[in-house]
Amino acid sequence: VLMVLPACGKKEAAPVVEEIAPAEEFIPPPPPPPVVEDKPAVVKVEPLVLEHVFFDFDKYNIKSEYKTDPDEGYWSQSPRAVLEYAWGSFHQVQLEYNYRLQEYLSKAERRFNSERHSLQQRYYYYGSRWRASLAAEETWRDYNKPQDEDDYRQVNLQLNASFDLWPWLSLGAGGGFEERRYSLRGDTATDYDQWRAGPVVELRWMKSLFQAVRYQWTGRTHRDRDASDALNKSLGDFDEHRLALETWWSLTERLDLSLNLEGEWRWYRNGQTGQYETYLPDYRPLSNSARYTASGSLSYDLSERIRLYGSFYRSEERHRRYSGFDLDETTANLEVQILF
């Protein structure tokens, strides 16, 4: 039996296709703006041409008392008197008075006329092994004006002593004090106190050759008693150290030679300004410095009353911070002395 069965068709499901979102397109960041260097503007300068120049004059009159003559100057006199008194062979006293008068010829400058007086008193003791000296000096200076910042009074004391350990070796020491007081305090003057002290070693190699090695410390303190003064005068306070080698040599009965070598070192206690200060009596800049000096003299007696004398001096000053103040100085002198 043949049976025919109808075929049944099977419907297949359509495939599911997932839609994929397209990838985002990568856009690179914009480049940074270019750096433009600032260039100085170029300004074209045209030459300046003056077509018309006008002059104007002012009329003025100078009083006759203020007119100066270029040839005018000043004259001065410096008399000196010395009185010596000695008793025995060990004691000697000296009194010395110095006077200096300076007067200007022009009326405009006569207010700067000045007088300076100095009175010195010295005492010397010469023992068999001890030697000592005591010196005191009073100085006062007055200008023509009734009151001036440069008028002052000064006292200076010095004491020296030495002892002979052996005929060829002596040890000693010295010290002193100096005080200056101005009649007026101001920008150009200030009171100060100054101390100094140090030892000395003396060597006598022979009767005609003598040497000494000296050390001295000096300290200065300024006294500013005017609280309203704008300047700080204590900037001028300093400590100074000196070391010296002194030589005296009598080559012949008529020929004498001296030679000195010295080093000086100065330090300011309250800093450096590198400026000159008018209130400092030695008029030096506020700068730590070192100074080296060589000096000497040679004298020859041509006769009993005529002497030929020559001397030289060489100094080198060096400043640590302010080298612009470095200074070299050289002098020489030759003279004929007539003794009366």
PDB file of all heavy atoms in Angstrom, residues 46 65 158 167-168 201 210 219 255 297 299:
ATOM      1  N   GLU A  46      64.819 111.140  15.198  1.00  0.00           N
ATOM      2  CA  GLU A  46      65.256 112.105  14.201  1.00  0.00           C
ATOM      3  C   GLU A  46      66.226 113.083  14.848  1.00  0.00           C
ATOM      4  O   GLU A  46      66.087 113.441  16.027  1.00  0.00           O
ATOM      5  CB  GLU A  46      64.039 112.860  13.642  1.00  0.00           C
ATOM      6  CG  GLU A  46      63.026 111.975  12.932  1.00  0.00           C
ATOM      7  CD  GLU A  46      63.603 111.412  11.645  1.00  0.00           C
ATOM      8  OE1 GLU A  46      64.590 111.989  11.132  1.00  0.00           O
ATOM      9  OE2 GLU A  46      63.043 110.419  11.131  1.00  0.00           O
ATOM     10  N   GLU A  65      82.067 142.992  50.797  1.00  0.00           N
ATOM     11  CA  GLU A  65      82.734 142.203  51.836  1.00  0.00           C
ATOM     12  C   GLU A  65      82.804 140.726  51.497  1.00  0.00           C
ATOM     13  O   GLU A  65      83.519 139.968  52.151  1.00  0.00           O
ATOM     14  CB  GLU A  65      82.028 142.391  53.186  1.00  0.00           C
ATOM     15  CG  GLU A  65      80.573 141.940  53.203  1.00  0.00           C
ATOM     16  CD  GLU A  65      79.621 143.077  52.888  1.00  0.00           C
ATOM     17  OE1 GLU A  65      80.063 144.044  52.236  1.00  0.00           O
ATOM     18  OE2 GLU A  65      78.459 143.012  53.315  1.00  0.00           O
ATOM     19  N   GLN A 158     100.035 110.382  78.693  1.00  0.00           N
ATOM     20  CA  GLN A 158     100.830 109.246  78.242  1.00  0.00           C
ATOM     21  C   GLN A 158     101.838 108.876  79.325  1.00  0.00           C
ATOM     22  O   GLN A 158     102.528 109.743  79.867  1.00  0.00           O
ATOM     23  CB  GLN A 158     101.567 109.582  76.940  1.00  0.00           C
ATOM     24  CG  GLN A 158     102.411 108.455  76.387  1.00  0.00           C
ATOM     25  CD  GLN A 158     101.593 107.286  75.864  1.00  0.00           C
ATOM     26  OE1 GLN A 158     100.472 107.494  75.388  1.00  0.00           O
ATOM     27  NE2 GLN A 158     102.124 106.086  75.939  1.00  0.00           N
ATOM     28  N   PRO A 167     122.067  94.123  80.154  1.00  0.00           N
ATOM     29  CA  PRO A 167     122.555  95.328  79.461  1.00  0.00           C
ATOM     30  C   PRO A 167     122.079  95.437  78.020  1.00  0.00           C
ATOM     31  O   PRO A 167     122.021  96.536  77.470  1.00  0.00           O
ATOM     32  CB  PRO A 167     124.084  95.178  79.546  1.00  0.00           C
ATOM     33  CG  PRO A 167     124.318  94.323  80.745  1.00  0.00           C
ATOM     34  CD  PRO A 167     123.166  93.376  80.794  1.00  0.00           C
ATOM     35  N   TRP A 168     121.701  94.329  77.388  1.00  0.00           N
ATOM     36  CA  TRP A 168     121.304  94.357  75.986  1.00  0.00           C
ATOM     37  C   TRP A 168     119.799  94.172  75.775  1.00  0.00           C
ATOM     38  O   TRP A 168     119.319  94.234  74.639  1.00  0.00           O
ATOM     39  CB  TRP A 168     122.040  93.262  75.208  1.00  0.00           C
ATOM     40  CG  TRP A 168     121.822  91.880  75.794  1.00  0.00           C
ATOM     41  CD1 TRP A 168     122.551  91.290  76.769  1.00  0.00           C
ATOM     42  CD2 TRP A 168     120.791  90.961  75.443  1.00  0.00           C
ATOM     43  NE1 TRP A 168     122.060  90.035  77.068  1.00  0.00           N
ATOM     44  CE2 TRP A 168     120.980  89.805  76.250  1.00  0.00           C
ATOM     45  CE3 TRP A 168     119.753  90.966  74.516  1.00  0.00           C
ATOM     46  CZ2 TRP A 168     120.145  88.688  76.166  1.00  0.00           C
ATOM     47  CZ3 TRP A 168     118.923  89.860  74.442  1.00  0.00           C
ATOM     48  CH2 TRP A 168     119.126  88.742  75.256  1.00  0.00           C
ATOM     49  N   VAL A 201     109.643  95.844  73.568  1.00  0.00           N
ATOM     50  CA  VAL A 201     110.894  95.112  73.808  1.00  0.00           C
ATOM     51  C   VAL A 201     112.017  95.898  73.144  1.00  0.00           C
ATOM     52  O   VAL A 201     111.941  96.204  71.942  1.00  0.00           O
ATOM     53  CB  VAL A 201     110.838  93.678  73.251  1.00  0.00           C
ATOM     54  CG1 VAL A 201     112.158  92.964  73.473  1.00  0.00           C
ATOM     55  CG2 VAL A 201     109.695  92.903  73.900  1.00  0.00           C
ATOM     56  N   PHE A 210     120.572 100.193  68.078  1.00  0.00           N
ATOM     57  CA  PHE A 210     119.473 100.023  69.026  1.00  0.00           C
ATOM     58  C   PHE A 210     118.206  99.700  68.241  1.00  0.00           C
ATOM     59  O   PHE A 210     117.921 100.321  67.214  1.00  0.00           O
ATOM     60  CB  PHE A 210     119.285 101.309  69.839  1.00  0.00           C
ATOM     61  CG  PHE A 210     118.085 101.300  70.735  1.00  0.00           C
ATOM     62  CD1 PHE A 210     118.118 100.659  71.954  1.00  0.00           C
ATOM     63  CD2 PHE A 210     116.910 101.935  70.359  1.00  0.00           C
ATOM     64  CE1 PHE A 210     117.018 100.650  72.788  1.00  0.00           C
ATOM     65  CE2 PHE A 210     115.803 101.933  71.178  1.00  0.00           C
ATOM     66  CZ  PHE A 210     115.856 101.289  72.397  1.00  0.00           C
ATOM     67  N   GLY A 219      91.687 102.014  71.284  1.00  0.00           N
ATOM     68  CA  GLY A 219      90.236 101.909  71.197  1.00  0.00           C
ATOM     69  C   GLY A 219      89.586 103.262  71.394  1.00  0.00           C
ATOM     70  O   GLY A 219      89.948 103.996  72.320  1.00  0.00           O
ATOM     71  N   LEU A 255     127.351 110.462  61.076  1.00  0.00           N
ATOM     72  CA  LEU A 255     126.312 109.868  60.241  1.00  0.00           C
ATOM     73  C   LEU A 255     125.388 108.996  61.088  1.00  0.00           C
ATOM     74  O   LEU A 255     125.838 108.052  61.759  1.00  0.00           O
ATOM     75  CB  LEU A 255     126.946 109.029  59.127  1.00  0.00           C
ATOM     76  CG  LEU A 255     126.000 108.422  58.093  1.00  0.00           C
ATOM     77  CD1 LEU A 255     125.239 109.509  57.353  1.00  0.00           C
ATOM     78  CD2 LEU A 255     126.774 107.539  57.127  1.00  0.00           C
ATOM     79  N   SER A 297     115.243 107.877  57.913  1.00  0.00           N
ATOM     80  CA  SER A 297     115.927 109.162  57.798  1.00  0.00           C
ATOM     81  C   SER A 297     117.428 108.941  57.888  1.00  0.00           C
ATOM     82  O   SER A 297     117.906 107.942  58.450  1.00  0.00           O
ATOM     83  CB  SER A 297     115.470 110.134  58.900  1.00  0.00           C
ATOM     84  OG  SER A 297     115.846 109.642  60.177  1.00  0.00           O
ATOM     85  N   SER A 299     120.968 111.433  58.501  1.00  0.00           N
ATOM     86  CA  SER A 299     121.498 112.766  58.800  1.00  0.00           C
ATOM     87  C   SER A 299     123.022 112.712  58.845  1.00  0.00           C
ATOM     88  O   SER A 299     123.615 111.741  59.339  1.00  0.00           O
ATOM     89  CB  SER A 299     120.959 113.286  60.140  1.00  0.00           C
ATOM     90  OG  SER A 299     121.397 112.464  61.204  1.00  0.00           O
TER      91      SER A 299
END
